[in-house]
Amino acid sequence: MAEFSFSDLETIIRDRAQSGDPDSWTAKLFARGIDKAAQKLGEEAVETVIAAVKGDKQGLVSESADLIYHWLVVLGLSGVPLSDVLKELEGRTGRSGIAEKASRPKG
C-alpha cells in the first residue's frame, strides 16, 4: 500500500472544491469562502488542543486529521500551495527554532 501524503490530500481537496458536488463538504467550504474555512480551522485547532491536554490519543488523532484537512482547505482558498509551506519549513531546518524565531521581523 502506498503511503498517503499531504500532497495527496491537497489534490483531493482541489478536485472536490472544483466538483460542485452538493454532497461534498469541501465544495461547500470553498463556496462559503475563506471566513468560514478559517473559522473551521480555528475550531479544529482548539479541539486538537483539548484532546491533547486530556491525553485522549484517539481524539488527538481524529482532531489532528480534521485540523490538517481544514488547514489545507484554507491554504487552497488562499492560493497558497502546500509546496510553499514545505519550502519554508525546509529553509528553517538548517538553524535552531530559537534563532529562526529571533530573525523574524517584529510587529
Side-chain angles (χ1 to χ4, degrees):
M1 177 177 154
E3 189 170 317
F4 187 72
S5 71
F6 285 173
S7 294
D8 294 333
L9 183 55
E10 180 183 43
T11 299
I12 291 166
I13 288 169
R14 183 176 45 248
D15 292 346
R16 290 183 181 168
Q18 298 169 358
S19 73
D21 181 352
D23 294 326
S24 168
W25 174 242
T26 303
K28 285 183 183 185
L29 272 177
F30 269 77
R32 292 175 81 179
I34 190 67
D35 289 349
K36 181 62 177 177
Q39 175 190 348
K40 290 299 297 177
L41 176 61
E43 290 170 6
E44 298 303 342
V46 169
E47 291 170 3
T48 302
V49 169
I50 291 168
V53 169
K54 285 183 172 181
D56 177 0
K57 289 184 180 183
Q58 184 51 50
L60 182 56
V61 168
S62 177
E63 296 301 342
S64 293
D66 290 346
L67 178 62
I68 290 167
Y69 162 79
H70 285 92
W71 170 62
L72 287 172
V73 167
V74 167
L75 287 180
L77 277 163
S78 300
V80 176
L82 176 61
S83 60
D84 286 0
V85 177
L86 296 175
K87 284 178 196 168
E88 177 68 19
L89 287 169
E90 181 180 28
R92 293 179 182 187
T93 61
R95 57 187 163 165
S96 80
I98 294 170
E100 188 281 323
K101 188 170 183 177
S103 73
R104 293 182 195 169
K106 305 292 185 240

